[in-house]
Amino acid sequence: MNAPKVRKEPGADTGNESETNTRELLNEVTEWLQYACGMTDLMAELVYEAETLDCRRMALAFQTIGALLERSVTCTKRAHERVVWEQAQQWVETSATH
């Protein structure tokens, strides 16, 4: 399983929010969520079939799923911020012309 390409979050290091648009952020969210679902399915299958469990590995796997979900939430927040920003800009532009 290949991890999704790590993209810089808007404004993360460069201060340039135009690098990632809303669609790209939402695509990234979908990608991260698909990886989290895949990991969850894999873990469920392994636990179901295992005679013994390695608690350290289980904990690491759950932390990995948590990190994937956390990244998804972060990208979702960024996408929402961008949508709100774009709507505010449109409102200002519309208001200025009237």
Side-chain angles (χ1 to χ4, degrees):
M1 174 165 54
N2 295 331
K5 290 186 272 180
V6 177
R7 298 171 186 94
K8 292 198 184 267
E9 295 177 57
D13 294 323
T14 63
N16 184 359
E17 291 195 4
S18 63
E19 289 181 16
T20 307
N21 66 34
T22 304
R23 180 172 291 153
E24 289 170 339
L25 284 168
L26 293 174
N27 287 339
E28 189 172 342
V29 168
T30 302
E31 211 174 338
W32 287 111
L33 288 173
Q34 287 172 342
Y35 281 106
C37 287
M39 279 289 293
T40 303
D41 290 344
L42 177 64
M43 290 301 301
E45 187 176 325
L46 290 175
V47 168
Y48 182 75
E49 293 179 1
E51 292 181 22
T52 61
L53 296 176
D54 182 341
C55 291
R56 284 186 51 201
R57 286 187 175 175
M58 289 282 295
L60 181 60
F62 287 130
Q63 288 173 335
T64 301
I65 293 168
L68 293 170
L69 294 173
E70 185 176 328
R71 180 66 182 171
S72 298
V73 168
T74 300
C75 290
T76 302
K77 287 179 186 178
R78 297 277 186 204
H80 183 259
E81 290 168 359
R82 185 165 302 265
V83 167
V84 170
W85 178 255
E86 290 168 357
Q87 288 175 346
Q89 285 180 318
Q90 288 175 354
W91 182 82
V92 167
E93 290 171 2
T94 304
S95 297
T97 59
H98 288 94

